[in-house]
C-alpha cells in the first residue's frame, strides 16, 4: 500500500511549517517519494518512534525518516515493506502481534501481508516457469541453480529506471517474465517469486555505498545465502554464495550493511 502525503520543495516546506501548516501529516522531505517524515500536531518531526496510521504501523528513525526493509529497532530487528508498513519481527520465532510486542502482551494480531493482484499474477507466471525447470527429486540448491540459469538465459539487462517504491516487486517480476529484460530490481523480483515458490523465501539486499543495486538473500532450510542473477560487468556467478565470498570477489558491487541482515555461513 503506497503512502499518501504532501510533496513539497524545501523552500515552500520551510515557509508553510513556519505557519504551522500540515501538522499531523506525512511530508516527503526530499521530494523523491521515498524520504517520508511525519510532522506532529504539536510541531516538529517525529523521531525514534513507532507511528500507527490507520491499521498500519510505521517507524521513524533518529533523523525522522520512515524506515523500510530490515531495520534494528530498540535492540531487535523488524521488517518493513517498501511502503514503510511494518510486517513482522525477525528475531522472534513466535508470531508477532504488534511492533516491538510479543504474543503474551498484545491484544492485536498481525496477519501475513495480503497478496496483491500483482503478487498473484507474478506467482502464476513463476509457477509455469518452474514446472518446466524443476522437479520434486531436486534438492533446494539444485532448484536454486535451475532458477539462476533460467533467469540468466532468458533475461537481458536493461537499465529501465524501474526501482522501488514506485514499482512493486510484483510489477517488476511480471515485467521481467514477459519482457525478458530489466534492471537489477527486476532480476531481484523475478528471483524472489521463483525461489519463494520452491520454499526458499528471500529478502531484498540493498548496496550500501549508493543504494543502486539489489539482490536476494535466500533462506535455504534456515541457512542464508546471497543470490544475484543480475549480470555484472566484472562477470562472475552469485548463486547461493556467502558474504565472505562477496567480500573477496565482488565487494565493490555487493557491499552492504552486514549487521542489518542475517549472517551467512
Amino acid at each position: 500500500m503506497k503512502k499518501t502525503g504532501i510533496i513539497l520543495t524545501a523552500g515552500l516546506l520551510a515557509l508553510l511549517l513556519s505557519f504551522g501548516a500540515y501538522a499531523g501529516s506525512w511530508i516527503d522531505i526530499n521530494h523523491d517519494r521515498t524520504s517520508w517524515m511525519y510532522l506532529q500536531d504539536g510541531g516538529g518531526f517525529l523521531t525514534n518512534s513507532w507511528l500507527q496510521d490507520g491499521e498500519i504501523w510505521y517507524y521513524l528513525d533518529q533523523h525522522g525518516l520512515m524506515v523500510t526493509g530490515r531495520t534494528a529497532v530498540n535492540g531487535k530487528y523488524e521488517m518493513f515493506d517498501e511502503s514503510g508498513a511494518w510486517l513482522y519481527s525477525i528475531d522472534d520465532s513466535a508470531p508477532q502481534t504488534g511492533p516491538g510486542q510479543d504474543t503474551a502482551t498484545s491484544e492485536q494480531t498481525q496477519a501475513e501481508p495480503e497478496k496483491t493482484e500483482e503478487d498473484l499474477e507474478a506467482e502464476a507466471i513463476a509457477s509455469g516457469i518452474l514446472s518446466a525447470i524443476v522437479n520434486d527429486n531436486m534438492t533446494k540448491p539444485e532448484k536454486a541453480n535451475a532458477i539462476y540459469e533460467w533467469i540468466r538465459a532468458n533475461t537481458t539487462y536493461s537499465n529501465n529506471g524501474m526501482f522501488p517504491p514506485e514499482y512493486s516487486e510484483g510489477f517488476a517480476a511480471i515485467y521481467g517474465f514477459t519482457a525478458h529484460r530489466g534492471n537489477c530490481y527486476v532480476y531481484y523480483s523475478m528471483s524472489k517469486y521463483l525461489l519463494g515458490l520452491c520454499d526458499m523465501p528471500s529478502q531484498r539486499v540493498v548496496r550500501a555505498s549508493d543504494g543502486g543495486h539489489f539482490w536476494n538473500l535466500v533462506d535455504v532450510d534456515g541457512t542464508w545465502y546471497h543470490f544475484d542473477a543480475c549480470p555484472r560487468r566484472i562477470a562472475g556467478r552469485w548463486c547461493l554464495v556467502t558474504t565472505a565470498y562477496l567480500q573477496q570477489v565482488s565487494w565493490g558491487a555487493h557491499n552492504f550493511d552486514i549487521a542489518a541482515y542475517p549472517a551467512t555461513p
Side-chain angles (χ1 to χ4, degrees):
M1 177 175 135
K2 292 288 185 67
K3 181 178 292 71
T4 58
I6 312 300
I7 301 175
L8 302 169
T9 63
L12 181 56
L13 174 61
L15 177 62
L16 291 172
L17 292 183
S18 68
F19 290 99
Y22 296 118
S25 299
W26 287 100
I27 305 291
D28 184 7
I29 195 69
N30 287 338
H31 198 224
D32 59 3
R33 297 185 182 275
T34 61
S35 305
W36 292 104
M37 303 179 73
Y38 190 83
L39 184 64
Q40 302 177 85
D41 290 330
F45 289 106
L46 189 65
T47 61
N48 289 322
S49 300
W50 288 97
L51 171 69
Q52 186 173 17
D53 188 352
E55 297 182 354
I56 301 175
W57 286 92
Y58 301 89
Y59 189 79
L60 292 307
D61 68 12
Q62 69 270 28
H63 306 295
L65 292 170
M66 178 198 76
V67 303
T68 60
R70 177 184 167 93
T71 304
V73 178
N74 298 326
K76 68 190 300 186
Y77 283 113
E78 309 285 352
M79 180 61 75
F80 302 82
D81 71 14
E82 62 189 32
S83 74
W86 176 76
L87 298 176
Y88 53 84
S89 295
I90 295 174
D91 295 87
D92 295 342
S93 58
Q96 291 299 292
T97 55
Q101 302 171 346
D102 56 38
T103 307
T105 59
S106 174
E107 297 178 356
Q108 292 183 316
T109 57
Q110 176 66 22
E112 288 294 321
E114 184 176 351
K115 292 181 180 179
T116 66
E117 291 184 5
E118 289 175 342
D119 288 327
L120 295 174
E121 183 177 351
E123 285 186 348
I125 299 173
S127 180
I129 294 168
L130 291 170
S131 67
I133 64 174
V134 302
N135 60 66
D136 293 339
N137 294 323
M138 298 171 69
T139 65
K140 287 184 179 179
E142 288 173 338
K143 291 178 180 180
N145 182 72
I147 291 168
Y148 187 93
E149 295 296 340
W150 185 91
I151 294 175
R152 278 292 187 96
N154 291 274
T155 315
T156 300
Y157 182 83
S158 172
N159 189 11
N160 54 10
M162 189 177 294
F163 293 105
E166 286 79 9
Y167 298 94
S168 70
E169 293 171 345
F171 181 92
I174 294 167
Y175 178 87
F177 289 145
T178 56
H180 299 289
R181 64 178 183 273
N183 62 7
C184 59
Y185 181 57
V186 172
Y187 279 81
Y188 152 77
S189 299
M190 289 192 296
S191 300
K192 172 191 170 180
Y193 290 98
L194 289 166
L195 291 164
L197 289 177
C198 291
D199 194 26
M200 289 182 283
S202 65
Q203 60 178 269
R204 186 169 70 208
V205 186
V206 182
R207 186 164 63 203
S209 57
D210 60 4
H213 185 54
F214 306 92
W215 67 94
N216 305 72
L217 193 60
V218 187
D219 181 354
V220 183
D221 292 330
T223 303
W224 293 87
Y225 297 96
H226 297 275
F227 183 100
D228 185 6
C230 183
R232 311 301 303 160
R233 290 190 182 93
I234 62 172
R237 194 174 192 279
W238 299 278
C239 178
L240 304 186
V241 300
T242 65
T243 296
Y245 180 84
L246 296 183
Q247 290 176 310
Q248 294 173 1
V249 177
S250 60
W251 194 240
H254 291 105
N255 65 85
F256 69 102
D257 183 359
I258 296 176
Y261 296 89
T264 66

